[in-house]
Amino acid sequence: MSQSDRRFACPGLYRIVPSLDGGICRIKLSRGRVAAAQMRALAALAEEYGHPEIEATNRANIQIRGVKPGAEDAVIAGLKAAGLAPENSGADDVRNVMVSPYCGLDGDALIDVSSLADKVLERLMRETRYHALSPKFSIQIDGGEAVAMTEHPNDIWLSAMDGDHFAFGFASVPGERPAGAVAASDAETALFALLDTFIAEIGRRNAKGDKIARMRHLLVDRDGSTLAAALPVTVHAVGDWQREAPMPLGHIGARAQKDGRVAIGAVPPLGRIGQKMMLGLADLADRVSGAEIRMTPWQSVLLPGIAEDEAAEAAETLEELGFITRPDRTLAATITCAGSTGCKSGLADTKGDALALAQELDGWAHPVFGIHLTGCAKSCAAPRPAPFTLVALTPGHYDLFAAGDRERAGFGKRIGADLTIEQAAQLLRQREQA
Ligand code: SF4
């Protein structure tokens, strides 16, 4: 598939791509933020033109699925009116800058990367030469927050080493194989110099008919350190720096912010946010979080800036709406891809089966965390192995894999073959008991 074909296949706000259950419109958000009024607009558009529930994605964005044929222009116009659309498709495609949902809130962060992320995003959208980047080309700017996604590989990542420096690396997760470090004041210059190098290489390779789209393609014949050495800023050694491990399941529940207020993370089961949930969330955000809602890369939401004495009631309201705010249920950390109801490659109904699996497991004394059901081996929902992965074989039947913390590819070791959901639940229980 050529690069232009790949571009066509990747959903965007202006490029609503067909799928088994209708069009997919992906709405990329600036630092994952969506205002209460925008959430209401999304609810109205989804109800009128697509599936009534929206999806939270694993890059802190939102998707409307099931867009009816012929309704594409109305959806795009509605998103523009809601202030969710950039000027054009080129600017939309490059909005792939991920930060922690706790960016600017977390007292444990080493650097508040909010303004750097905003500047990078603004330049990517405004300077049209960057529109040559693939819609999948991703950048992560990690301030060292305790709640951070460090499982999604990015084309380029920056990760705070201390209060003044960022380590950086390519085609990997924050902290993995760093190529060097730069002063925080040089980070923007360094990042755009790397992008310029990459875009120049796209042009050179295109002229030779050898198309490249991602940083890993550039690294086939060169080392990341050669890219670092060519930067127009001082590159420092990383030494024995390692990114501190993020807090497990830190995106779920209440957590104190650096200003004494509270943020509450809430998980919509399987990333699906229905009409009642969207409207209730918007009303709650208006009441307690200054109308701000943040999407997270765990397919969940975060309400920031809540007064301490309002936090318990806000969490209760979220639970009543159908969100999970405590990490004691299997669905708090279960993910699936679209499965056979939304994707023609899906061999089983991953969403329906995940609900059935969670029901089997939730009656048990210990919740099982980190389950991924995938409709085929492509594993769209999880770029890195989950602790447990069920890979569909036929409707209702899966192979079950278990992966250790250090596994970086594949699904891990197969521990059960051709299992029904009941059999998979039984095996998971036995394993957790052992
Ligand atoms: S993992 Fe397979 S079945 Fe699931 S969405 Fe991706 S391609 Fe479709």
Side-chain angles (χ1 to χ4, degrees), residues 337-339 343 345-347 374-380:
C337 70
C343 174
S345 303
L347 300 170
T374 182
C376 77
K378 196 173 164 200
S379 189
C380 294

Side-chain angles (χ1 to χ4, degrees), residues 7-18 23-28 62-64 67 71-95 125 131 135:
R7 185 177 286 274
F8 183 73
C10 188
L13 188 147
Y14 289 95
R15 191 176 42 252
I16 300 178
V17 302
I24 302 176
C25 178
R26 183 169 298 158
I27 300 124
K28 296 178 181 178
I62 283 173
Q63 285 182 169
I64 299 177
V67 176
E72 293 86 352
D73 289 347
V75 170
I76 293 166
L79 293 169
K80 273 185 166 174
L84 285 162
E87 283 290 289
N88 54 54
S89 176
D92 181 48
D93 279 343
V94 289
R95 297 203 293 169
M125 291 196 289
H131 300 183

